[in-house]
Amino acid sequence: MAGNWGRILRLTAIGGLAFWVANLAVSLTPIAAEYRAALWIPYLPMLVEALAGGLLIALGVSWALVRQPAALPKTSPVGQALLLSLIALVLVTVGIELPSKVLVGSADPLRYFLIGAAFNTVRIVALGVAIAARRAPAAIRDPQPSVPGSRSHPEPVGTR
């Protein structure tokens, strides 16, 4: 059990860091500056909040991958991590992004909702890819695992 929590915490750290780095990259764009200005979001607290949010989302994805593998579809580890990240994206978009844009009195809530959803997509996909890459390096290198008993490299015709 302690080994599971060690893996969960490592995956959480990797996913949270990927989320934060993606957030940092996005935050340097002009559209992000416009978004922050329109919604009165201060830059440095936003960076800290992004780290906390990324770690929280990564913890949920990592926990599900390590502790609940039977509840996930029998796909590759990469597919499982990306599926869980997609679920997290939908939850964040519907549960946080949509209500916050409806309740904020901005001039164009639909525009800022779409911008925020796009930023979340970049950040959460980065999180999922980082967790998948750490969890299954072999699956990244060879996305089509060979079937047991089959040859992974067929012989050229006429070599027998």
Side-chain angles (χ1 to χ4, degrees):
M1 182 153 162
N4 281 345
W5 280 108
R7 285 186 295 187
I8 290 170
L9 292 177
R10 280 191 301 276
L11 292 174
T12 298
I14 288 165
L17 180 61
F19 183 96
W20 188 83
V21 168
N23 182 73
L24 181 63
V26 166
S27 74
L28 299 174
T29 63
I31 191 85
E34 174 197 336
Y35 180 80
R36 285 191 309 275
L39 300 176
W40 307 303
I41 299 172
Y43 187 72
L44 291 178
M46 178 267 312
L47 291 176
V48 174
E49 291 168 5
L51 180 59
L55 288 170
L56 187 62
I57 294 168
L59 177 62
V61 170
S62 301
W63 182 84
L65 282 171
V66 173
R67 299 285 303 201
Q68 302 296 322
L72 300 172
K74 302 295 181 224
T75 62
S76 71
V78 173
Q80 290 175 336
L82 290 176
L83 174 66
L84 288 170
S85 296
L86 177 65
I87 292 168
L89 175 62
V90 169
L91 292 174
V92 166
T93 301
V94 172
I96 297 172
E97 194 67 34
L98 184 61
S100 71
K101 298 310 175 279
V102 169
L103 297 176
V104 171
S106 68
D108 194 356
L110 178 61
R111 173 180 166 77
Y112 295 116
F113 167 74
L114 293 174
I115 291 170
F119 290 165
N120 284 335
T121 300
V122 169
R123 297 184 302 189
I124 293 175
V125 167
L127 177 149
V129 168
I131 288 175
R134 174 62 180 112
R135 187 167 178 258
I140 296 290
R141 287 191 298 274
D142 182 17
Q144 300 285 332
S146 60
V147 177
S150 70
R151 290 181 275 205
S152 58
H153 294 75
E155 294 177 12
V157 176
T159 59
R160 285 192 177 194

